[in-house]
Amino acid sequence: MARIAVLLGPMATIVGRELRRTASVTGNHFFLFTMLLLGTNPRSSVFLLLLVGMVIVFPLSLNPLWSLPRERLLLLPLKRSETMRLRVLPILMSPVVWVILLLPLWGGWRYGRVSATLLLVMVLSNGIAIFWPRHLGLSRWRVMPDWIPNLPGPLGELVQKNLREMLQTLDLYLGVALGLSGALYRLLASRPDPAALHGMSLLVALSFSTYAQRLFGFDAGAGWKRYALLPIKGWQILAAKDVAFLMLLLLLTLPLNLLSGLAAGLVLLGFGHAPSVLDPQAQPPWRFLSGARGWSGFLQVLVMFGAGTAVFRAAPWVILPCAVGYAVSLLYFGAQLDRRLVFSTG
């Protein structure tokens, strides 16, 4: 037991570090929008803050032991029983466990059933991850989206890689939560309001907006050199990023308002190519992304809301100038990407 106690201190440090990193949403467009809404209309922002909190909870509920290199753990002189205890005990360090346990004390015992259900779900999920990691697709003790199939076409493998990268951002899961909420509203409401569905589709697009500025956030370092070796143009590399982006965005806005989602996505990508190519910043996985500094994010979101609303209230033909602007951005910044890749190999 003494050998296990020695490892609990470093894992507590890891938990604190993960808490600070995961809860950091600096520069994220959706969080900034929520804070602005909180200052102007606090009641309207409660739902959005709740969704952000729910998304942050999931990475914090994972066993902190998964953050340690597996190779080091295999070298430790631990018995099988000690290894099992080492896998179970760190779960109690997760702040999510203590929040769930203290929920009835804060909100009253009417939340006792909710607390017990959440605790059961967390214990079961961590238990499956401990005893049957292959069923969750765990790779190096982290959840990796390895189940995405190969896609056809000359850019299919690049699109597949980009989809896997997007599935490692909390921004996507925030969009999934918004999309599911809107889909449930449309399914359960007797007369769903089209304006509400349109608004939800724009919120889904807003959750994607920061990623549109960080298309190369997971390609730092050797990723640029690998792109330079590919026998394709820069606009094709950008197009593979954009296809993955639009595939997920349109899938989530399909039950809401597809045309508004398409217009918003084209605008986001058209504006997002510039910071993605000219100012790429590495982004850590399983975090909320940080957008570009300055007014580019504000202008991007403003035009996105305007284009989506115009499509909803005016006419679908507004998508045409959005598509033209996107195509111009794709070709221009594709050429800029070609120059950057040549420079990276020089």
Side-chain angles (χ1 to χ4, degrees), residues 7-306:
L7 296 175
L8 294 181
M11 279 188 285
T13 303
I14 291 175
V15 170
R17 184 177 61 196
E18 292 292 319
L19 178 61
R20 292 190 299 270
R21 289 181 178 179
T22 305
S24 176
V25 288
T26 305
N28 187 274
H29 298 167
F30 191 92
F31 180 76
L32 295 176
F33 174 82
T34 305
M35 290 297 99
L36 178 63
L37 191 63
L38 180 63
T40 57
N41 191 350
R43 292 185 177 181
S44 301
S45 62
V46 172
F47 173 70
L48 301 182
L49 286 174
L50 179 62
L51 289 182
V52 173
M54 288 176 59
V55 172
I56 291 177
V57 158
F58 286 103
L60 290 179
S61 65
L62 295 178
N63 193 326
L65 186 65
W66 296 353
S67 300
L68 297 177
R70 185 179 182 182
E71 293 77 10
R72 294 185 182 180
L73 292 174
L74 294 176
L75 294 175
L76 294 177
L78 297 175
K79 300 178 182 179
R80 180 172 298 182
S81 59
E82 292 176 325
T83 302
M84 186 56 61
R85 277 181 285 178
L86 187 60
R87 291 183 179 184
V88 174
L89 289 177
I91 299 176
L92 300 178
M93 295 183 179
S94 173
V96 178
V97 174
W98 297 103
V99 170
I100 292 174
L101 292 176
L102 294 177
L103 184 61
L105 299 180
W106 174 75
W109 290 107
R110 62 181 180 274
Y111 289 96
R113 183 176 299 177
V114 176
S115 177
T117 303
L118 292 176
L119 188 61
L120 178 62
V121 170
M122 181 177 174
V123 170
L124 289 177
S125 61
N126 277 279
I128 294 173
I130 290 174
F131 294 103
W132 300 283
R134 294 182 180 179
H135 288 60
L136 293 182
L138 296 182
S139 176
R140 293 186 180 180
W141 298 34
R142 296 304 299 268
V143 178
M144 298 294 291
D146 296 331
W147 46 266
I148 299 178
N150 294 327
L151 301 177
L155 300 178
E157 292 186 2
L158 278 180
V159 175
Q160 180 192 46
K161 177 191 75 71
N162 296 328
L163 287 172
R164 289 179 176 178
E165 290 177 353
M166 291 192 68
L167 288 172
Q168 296 182 67
T169 66
L170 294 186
D171 302 67
L172 173 67
Y173 297 100
L174 178 59
V176 170
L178 288 165
L180 290 178
S181 300
L184 288 175
Y185 166 72
R186 181 167 190 166
L187 180 64
L188 300 178
S190 57
R191 293 182 178 179
D193 186 3
L197 296 175
H198 156 71
M200 289 297 293
S201 66
L202 292 185
L203 287 178
V204 173
L206 178 63
S207 67
F208 279 57
S209 61
T210 310
Y211 182 81
Q213 291 189 335
R214 297 300 182 216
L215 296 175
F216 295 95
F218 296 97
D219 294 309
W224 290 99
K225 295 183 178 180
R226 286 193 291 267
Y227 280 131
L229 296 175
L230 294 176
I232 57 177
K233 298 293 185 180
W235 71 267
Q236 293 175 298
I237 297 175
L238 276 179
K241 296 279 187 184
D242 298 345
V243 168
F245 182 95
L246 291 175
M247 283 177 61
L248 294 176
L249 177 60
L250 296 182
L251 178 64
L252 294 176
T253 57
L254 180 62
L256 306 176
N257 191 307
L258 184 62
L259 292 180
S260 296
L262 177 59
L266 292 174
V267 169
L268 291 176
L269 291 171
F271 278 87
H273 288 157
S276 295
V277 174
L278 303 180
D279 184 30
Q281 299 290 332
Q283 302 291 317
W286 307 109
R287 305 286 186 272
F288 281 106
L289 303 176
S290 297
R293 297 179 181 179
W295 290 90
S296 60
F298 174 79
L299 182 62
Q300 178 194 35
V301 172
L302 182 64
V303 178
M304 180 269 292
F305 272 107

Side-chain angles (χ1 to χ4, degrees), residues 263 266-267 306-324:
L266 292 174
V267 169
T309 303
V311 169
F312 174 70
R313 297 188 180 277
W317 62 264
V318 178
I319 292 182
L320 181 60
C322 295
V324 172

